[in-house]
Every structure is written in structure tokens, then in C-alpha cells.
Amino acid sequence: MEAYLKAYKVGWFYKAESKISGDISRLKVHVAPEDDSGENEAEVIEPDLFKPWEQLDPVGQFLRLMERPNPNQTGSQLRQKTQIRVDMAGAAFWYLESPDLLYGIPKAIYGISPTRMYEARDSSGRLIGWVMDRDKPGGGVPFEPKEILPFILGSADDDIWGVGVVEAVYAEVPLTNLMATHTASVLETGGRLAGMLWPKDRTLDQAEFEDAQRAWRSTISNGQAAKRLLLFPEPMEYSQGASTPAEIGIPELALLNRDNILTAFPIDPVILGVPAAPGLNSGETRRYQRQDYWEGTVHPRVEFLEETIQIGLLSRYEKAIGSTLDFEITEPNLDDANAILEKAGAARSLISLGFDPKESITAAGLDHIKFIGKPEPPPML
């Protein structure tokens, strides 16, 4: 996992993950009571960031932690780090500081790197707690299950440790560095490649060999090597000892490396600023690319965070107040006026065929807009 997390500093892994986690971290979060039908119809509860902690009700304390989980971080920073750890290493953990005995409501939240966490199990294999830094001198720091909120992917092989993006394409990590190192080495020598040089049809004596060796080393070791030229008083033979970037296929290999990494997230290179060839419908294409990014890449991650926080943390507050709450990370609405009208036409057609109005609106993708009913026709004059 340490190796997987280090991939965040590597090329396309960083570009993709910083974009995804950054966009998720900037999304607003809110809590609202659910109505009798299990839907979030009530007014959103706003966080109070000024009232003393002891005067806040349980819901107010939860909102305070979502805005300011600990003295060193904002909620946005904690969620971004959590998303990075989930994507890169396949798991993440929150330490819930000083949870009360009755409901387990914490006073602060701190993120813990998955590289430091070990599960503790009894003889039957049941999870009974966690240990941080178990491999360090002193045996580490034990935690009770209620003190740790694990973020566990559905791809977890053993109920905890999931398969992150980096593990799935880990072979691409050293390949990225090797290509960059080789290309930089070629450019550093002014484009000259390693090879073998010898006189044609004879052998150099020791003095001639040493003179040629000194001249060659003096030339290639200079920062202006590409501007220097070696002259020999007789014909010389040269044999190339290294492949050029074109012979290795680095341009094509770099594109393949990029695509293998980005499709593992998945994210379109255009979203990361890679120029796309213009076309007749380039504006429409960019709109679909953006929509695909938010719906196909960001949305599943947002749902994962919502579900984990809802079940693992917010449920404690629900027990404390005796009612159901709904935690939501608000995603942007990508529909413009034309798209909304197109969906409205689809919903109207479904309703006219006898389908349930509420379910028709949901099927058409308009459930984010409040439906007050079909307006009455204007009176006849």
C-alpha cells in the first residue's frame, strides 16, 4: 500500500486523482430529515459554526464535524485525502475521537493512512478491533471497532482490503518513470546515444587510445556537448549501442501507458486538459464528455462516500435523536434548458400513457426538480 500511495506522485496517476478527488472535495454536504415515505423532503439543516460544541444538538455536532472534523483540517481536506487513499490504496480509515458510550458519537475525526492499519480478529476470525502501527516497536495503538470508520470497497478480497486503481494497473507505474528517465537521458547528452567507436583496419596504440578517450570524455561531459565535434585524422567505425526513443516506440508506448492508467479510473484525457481534435460537433462532444465524467467517474465515488458515512457514522446520530436522517453530497446539475425540456417531453409522454407521474419524472431524470403538479388549463374566454 505504501507503493500504491506513492503512485499519487507519478504522472497520469496524479493528474487523474488530483482532478477527481479535488472535484469531490469541493462538493457541498448537507443533512436533512426524511419524511414518512423515506424521501428527503424537509428543509436542509445548516451547520452552526459559532455555537459552543456543548450547546449543539447531535445533528449540529455532526454538521460541525463535516465542516471542521479536527483542528488541523477542513471537511473538504479530509474528504479529499480519504478519496485519494481509497483510489490509490483500496481502503481508507477515519479515527473517531472519544466516542460516547451510549451512541458512539465522536468529538473529532482524523484520517489514518491504510498503510498504518491492521485488523485484530479473535480465534474464530471475527473482527474485534484495529491496531495502528502494529509493526512498529511497542506493538502499536489498539482501537475498538466503534473508534474506527473503515472505507471498504466492494472489490475487497478479504472483507477489508480492496483493489484500488493503482493495484489494477501497477505495471504502468515503473513504465512511466522509465520512459521519462530514458528520454531525459537522451536529451541530456544532446541527443547522442551510447555506442562503440574504433579505427578502421588498424589498432590504436596505448597513447593514441588514451588521447582519444580523453577527447571523447571531455566532449560528452560538457553541458554544450551537442555543439561540439570530434575530428579524427583517419576513417573511424561507429556502432550504435542504444535504441533511439523512436526505435523503442516511446511515443506510442507513452500513449498506451496513458490510456491504460486513465481507463482504470476511468477518466477521459480531455477532462485533464489534453487537447482534442476539433470537429463539427466538438461543443456537443465536450458536453457529453463532461457529463460522462461526472456520472461515470465522480458519481460512483460520491455514492460510496455517502453510503459509508450514512451507515457507519450518521446512523449513530439517528439513534441519538430517534429519527431518520439523510446525508447527501450535492453533485452539480449538468442539464441546460434544452436538456431539461427534452426530459420534460419524455416524462410527459410517459404520464400520458398512464405511467405513475412520480416514477415517470424519476425515469426521465427530473427528480432533482420539485414537481407541483400539472397546471390547470387557462379558462375559456
Side-chain angles (χ1 to χ4, degrees), residues 134-177:
R134 190 180 68 186
D135 56 335
K136 300 293 190 298
V141 181
F143 297 107
E144 295 181 14
K146 69 177 181 179
E147 293 181 292
I148 298 296
L149 175 61
F151 290 77
I152 300 171
L153 290 172
S155 59
D157 295 330
D158 55 358
D159 300 331
I160 295 175
W161 310 108
V163 178
V165 174
V166 180
E167 184 176 1
V169 288
Y170 188 64
E172 304 295 338
V173 177
L175 189 60
T176 301
N177 289 328

Side-chain angles (χ1 to χ4, degrees), residues 348-357 360:
R348 183 170 58 247
S349 298
L350 291 172
I351 295 171
S352 66
L353 291 172
F355 289 96
D356 179 78
S360 299

Side-chain angles (χ1 to χ4, degrees), residues 222-238:
N222 189 275
Q224 301 293 320
K227 300 179 181 178
R228 295 196 168 198
L229 178 67
L230 277 176
L231 293 178
F232 295 94
E234 58 183 300
M236 303 292 287
E237 298 281 358
Y238 175 78

Side-chain angles (χ1 to χ4, degrees), residues 209-227:
F209 173 74
E210 291 177 356
D211 286 343
Q213 189 180 51
R214 280 193 296 268
W216 188 268
R217 285 178 176 174
S218 175
T219 299
I220 64 173
S221 64
N222 189 275
Q224 301 293 320
K227 300 179 181 178

Side-chain angles (χ1 to χ4, degrees), residues 102-115:
L102 188 58
Y103 301 110
I105 294 177
K107 293 183 178 179
I109 300 174
Y110 295 86
I112 302 180
S113 172
T115 63

